[in-house]
């Protein structure tokens, strides 16, 4: 591997020598850097450009290594055109730029893995203990709320008396909703409160890998005794057992041994047992024989509470208002919610800026775009322009602080239509109407809604503006 990489780099340098002369990719990059630095200023250069490491220039692509995904996203969103322009000037032709997230060893990136690798979604990001448990996935860091109440209660009950009542406990639900967190919490509690000595947490993948490795070394007895003496066995993501007959067979015997001796088994999956294809009937029966609890996506209040908890744990200063703003926009799952927060915290720290709604909007841009795209093709600007055209005022009036009826009423109408046609949230509307509070938007929308019930004229005004909105789009 080392020679291969070495050869590759020599090859690259030869290639560069042919194309751009002595000095290789480093020199090209330094030239790009000094040109771009002149345009973007010292702060951006120090923050975003200096940490970049040029790797190679191959087949019209410049490969750059960046410290993390935040860097890559920020660069893609903010500096790509300027970087590409400088690069083309210096090399004398158009060159693509590809970012790679830094891994521990540079050798890992090349030659085969040119595509950047993201962190595996289910890989526990925190330190794990010897028994496989993730240290900070405990009950005290788990927020209970709509969506996970039942699963949480079941997990608590099992943690209080492992092997007694609900065996196995089977938790199912979509990705990033807290299954792994919850079952780790049971593991910790079983050790600390119930004095269980032998608790194992592992993913179904790891279970399979252990099995293969024991089979290969002809050590199946060790494998059997290891797992069959557990007090609590936690197997995550059993949907991955699908189609793995040997693993299923071994797990079936492990399961029976543990179950008969009243040892606790805890399982998770992204599906209900009978929806997992390629799962043996006898295992499915076992999985369904205990308690099955589902986890649903959290509601808004729970999302806000989770954000506040995570912010506290990560020491990210987050106001109630920003938490509400993020929670309103990031709705899919908790992992995304946490990802948004981490990104925001990192950006605030790197750029030494306080966390404001504007910064949050910037960080969540992609997510916000995605959400808007899903709902309607209409943008807030389009609505604002149409409203202004109808009432004969300027967009600046809408976003101003003016409270005269001449402006206040059109503003209310515009806010209402932004919600209706652009699917914008109250906090978002607030931001886009001159940084107003989300309650202003909320009030405006409900005021218009109330009037609409008895005011036919208002209804026809809105219809005409809607025509302008869609007509405007067609132009
Ligand atoms: P799953 O296993 O269902 O895919 P995880 O347990 O890995 O999801 O959760 C993803 C992330 O979200 C983890 O960092 C976890 O701590 C966090 N998380 C999920 N639900 C909650 C919750 N109710 N309270 C606190 N953190 C949560
Ligand atoms: Mg998981």
């Amino acid at each position: 591997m080392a020679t291969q990489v070495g050869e590759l780099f020599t090859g690259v340098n030869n290639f560069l020598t042919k194309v751009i002369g002595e000095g290789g990719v480093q020199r090209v990059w330094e030239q790009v850097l000094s040109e771009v630095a002149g345009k973007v200023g010292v702060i951006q250069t120090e923050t975003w450009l200096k940490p970049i490491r040029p790797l190679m220039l191959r087949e019209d692509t410049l490969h750059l290594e960046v410290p993390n995904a935040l860097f890559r996203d920020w660069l893609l969103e903010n500096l790509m055109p300027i970087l590409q322009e400088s690069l083309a000037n210096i090399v004398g032709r158009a060159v693509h730029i590809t970012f790679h997230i830094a891994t521990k060893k540079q050798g890992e990136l090349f030659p085969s893995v040119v595509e950047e690798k993201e962190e595996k979604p289910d890989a526990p990001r925190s330190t794990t203990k010897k028994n496989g448990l993730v240290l900070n996935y405990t009950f005290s860091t788990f927020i209970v709320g709509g969506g996970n109440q039942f699963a949480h209660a079941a997990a608590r009950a099992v943690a209080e008396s492992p092997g007694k009542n609900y065996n196995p406990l089977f938790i199912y639900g979509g990705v990033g909703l807290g299954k792994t967190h919850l079952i780790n919490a049971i593991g910790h509690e079983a050790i600390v409160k119930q004095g269980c000595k032998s608790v194992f947490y592992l993913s179904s993948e790891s279970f399979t890998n252990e099995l293969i490795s024991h089979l290969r070394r002809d050590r199946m007895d060790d494998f059997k005794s290891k797992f069959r003496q557990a007090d609590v066995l936690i197997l995550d993501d059993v949907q991955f057992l699908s189609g793995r007959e040997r693993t299923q067979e071994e797990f079936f015997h492990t399961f029976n041994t543990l179950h008969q001796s009243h040892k606790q088994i805890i399982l998770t999956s992204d599906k209900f047992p009978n929806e997992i294809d390629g799962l043996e009937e006898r295992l499915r029966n076992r999985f369904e024989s205990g308690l099955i609890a589902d986890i649903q996506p959290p509601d808004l209040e729970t999302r806000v509470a989770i954000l506040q908890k995570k912010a506290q744990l990560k020491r990210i200063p987050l106001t109630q208002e920003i938490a509400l703003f993020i929670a309103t926009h990031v709705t899919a799952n908790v992992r995304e919610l946490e990802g948004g927060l981490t990104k925001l915290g990192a950006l605030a720290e790197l750029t030494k800026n306080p966390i404001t709604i504007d910064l949050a909007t910037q960080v969540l841009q992609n997510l916000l775009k995605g959400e808007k795209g899903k709902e309607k093709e209409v943008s807030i600007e389009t609505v604002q322009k149409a409203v202004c055209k109808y009432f004969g005022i300027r967009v600046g009036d809408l976003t101003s602080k003016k409270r005269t009826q001449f402006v206040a009423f059109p503003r209310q109408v515009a806010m209402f239509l932004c919600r209706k046609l652009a699917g914008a949230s109250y906090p978002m509307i607030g931001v886009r109407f001159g940084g107003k509070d989300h309650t202003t938007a909320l009030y405006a929308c409900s005021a218009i809604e109330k009037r609409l019930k008895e005011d036919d004229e208002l209804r026809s005004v809105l219809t005409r503006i809607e025509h302008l909105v869609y007509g405007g789009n067609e132009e």
Side-chain angles (χ1 to χ4, degrees):
M1 181 71 176
T3 12
Q4 258 181 330
V5 174
E7 276 164 15
L8 234 158
F9 273 97
T10 321
V12 168
N13 281 334
N14 288 343
F15 173 76
L16 282 168
T17 311
K18 270 185 232 138
V19 181
I20 51 154
E22 288 292 317
V25 67
Q26 186 67 39
R27 217 171 94 194
V28 174
W29 180 242
E30 274 163 18
Q31 289 179 41
V32 172
L33 210 57
S34 76
E35 194 175 310
V36 173
K39 294 181 186 159
V40 302
V42 183
I43 294 177
Q44 296 216 345
T45 306
E46 289 296 322
T47 315
W48 301 107
L49 296 173
K50 283 284 168 68
I52 298 176
R53 205 161 68 89
L55 294 171
M56 66 172 172
L57 181 60
R58 187 173 63 174
E59 288 161 13
D60 285 346
T61 303
L62 174 64
H63 296 265
L64 297 174
E65 190 185 78
V66 291
N68 54 42
L70 168 76
F71 258 82
R72 180 203 50 202
D73 294 350
W74 195 91
L75 289 164
L76 284 173
E77 275 164 33
N78 299 283
L79 290 188
M80 269 314 259
I82 215 166
L83 282 173
Q84 261 162 340
E85 193 189 319
S86 282
L87 188 59
N89 283 343
I90 285 154
V91 180
R93 64 198 151 88
V95 175
H96 298 289
I97 297 178
T98 299
F99 293 111
H100 301 272
I101 312 289
T103 49
K104 275 169 237 104
K105 279 183 273 161
Q106 177 197 322
E108 283 169 8
L109 280 172
F110 295 99
S112 51
V113 196
V114 171
E115 288 301 305
E116 65 214 23
K117 279 221 154 170
E118 288 276 278
E119 196 177 45
K120 251 183 100 184
D122 269 344
R125 276 142 294 168
S126 332
T127 352
T128 53
K129 278 189 178 170
K130 227 166 125 204
N131 52 21
L133 290 173
V134 183
L135 275 175
N136 54 9
Y137 283 180
T138 59
F139 280 120
S140 66
T141 56
F142 190 85
I143 301 290
V144 188
N148 64 32
Q149 255 155 353
F150 181 57
H152 173 263
R156 279 281 190 196
V158 166
E160 258 157 45
S161 46
K164 296 273 158 44
N165 300 321
Y166 307 117
N167 205 11
L169 170 64
F170 188 102
I171 298 181
Y172 80 95
V175 313
L177 295 184
K179 301 183 294 296
T180 299
H181 188 140
L182 207 47
I183 57 176
N184 271 274
I186 305 177
H188 289 302
E189 195 93 343
I191 295 172
V192 177
K193 298 253 174 80
Q194 317 306 329
C196 292
K197 295 219 163 44
S198 177
V199 173
F200 286 110
Y201 163 86
L202 70 174
S203 68
S204 298
E205 293 285 354
S206 312
F207 187 81
T208 307
N209 292 343
E210 284 233 14
L211 174 70
I212 293 170
S213 125
H214 281 83
L215 276 171
R216 201 182 287 142
R217 289 181 289 129
D218 205 12
R219 285 281 170 77
M220 275 311 286
D221 287 347
D222 289 355
F223 181 85
K224 287 179 179 152
S225 59
K226 177 174 175 183
F227 292 114
R228 292 183 197 182
Q229 51 85 26
D231 294 320
V232 178
L233 177 62
I234 308 171
L235 198 63
D236 208 355
D237 290 318
V238 293
Q239 73 272 13
F240 293 130
L241 295 179
S242 159
R244 293 181 166 157
E245 287 166 22
R246 186 70 171 88
T247 315
Q248 288 189 25
E249 156 139 27
E250 203 45 55
F251 186 60
F252 178 73
H253 295 302
T254 307
F255 187 105
N256 287 343
T257 310
L258 292 176
H259 199 263
Q260 278 153 17
S261 41
H262 303 287
K263 303 299 187 188
Q264 182 69 45
I265 300 151
I266 301 160
L267 309 161
T268 74
S269 166
D270 63 352
K271 300 183 187 76
F272 198 79
N274 70 11
E275 288 168 353
I276 305 175
D277 291 331
L279 188 67
E280 283 180 29
E281 195 56 36
R282 55 182 186 167
L283 261 187
R284 178 172 321 190
N285 290 338
R286 296 289 185 286
F287 290 179
E288 288 177 2
S289 67
L291 178 67
I292 301 185
D294 69 328
I295 295 198
Q296 297 294 331
D299 53 29
L300 179 67
E301 289 77 8
T302 312
R303 294 201 298 278
V304 171
I306 292 176
L307 273 174
Q308 289 173 328
K309 182 84 191 177
K310 297 281 175 192
Q312 183 199 344
L313 291 172
K314 293 171 197 267
R315 295 176 206 283
I316 298 174
L318 188 77
T319 61
Q320 168 90 17
E321 190 196 9
I322 312 257
L324 181 67
F325 178 77
I326 302 174
T328 310
H329 288 96
V330 185
T331 53
N333 70 52
V334 182
R335 188 170 292 138
E336 264 189 14
L337 202 62
E338 205 179 336
L341 174 69
T342 310
K343 225 169 153 181
L344 186 58
L347 186 62
E349 200 180 312
L350 280 167
T351 58
K352 309 250 179 297
N353 279 322
I355 298 182
T356 57
I357 294 265
D358 276 348
L359 196 68
T361 311
Q362 195 186 324
V363 169
L364 301 180
Q365 229 168 38
N366 288 337
L367 289 165
L368 300 183
K369 260 188 232 151
E371 191 177 277
K372 231 194 282 166
K374 255 184 265 158
E375 291 180 4
K376 294 265 161 55
E377 286 297 315
V378 175
S379 69
I380 291 182
E381 287 94 313
T382 315
V383 175
Q384 289 177 329
K385 279 185 192 151
V387 171
C388 289
K389 194 166 171 187
Y390 183 83
F391 288 105
I393 57 173
R394 290 172 306 125
V395 174
D397 292 327
L398 289 183
T399 55
S400 73
K401 290 199 163 59
K402 288 183 206 159
R403 282 163 187 254
T404 52
Q405 188 58 16
F406 173 69
V407 172
F409 177 63
R411 186 184 292 135
Q412 287 190 343
V413 167
M415 287 182 164
F416 173 84
L417 288 176
C418 280
R419 183 135 180 95
K420 184 175 171 206
L421 306 179
S425 67
Y426 296 124
M428 190 45 146
I429 296 174
V431 170
R432 302 291 292 278
F433 280 74
K436 298 187 173 56
D437 193 78
H438 72 276
T439 50
T440 310
L442 187 92
Y443 174 78
C445 292
S446 59
I448 296 291
E449 223 158 83
K450 218 190 261 165
R451 264 183 74 170
L452 264 180
K453 288 196 183 120
E454 50 224 29
D455 189 342
D456 290 341
E457 201 183 329
L458 177 61
R459 204 168 307 134
S460 82
V461 166
L462 291 189
T463 313
R464 270 177 275 158
I465 300 175
E466 282 182 36
H467 273 301
L468 284 178
V469 166
Y470 291 108
N473 276 353
E474 282 156 19
E475 272 166 21

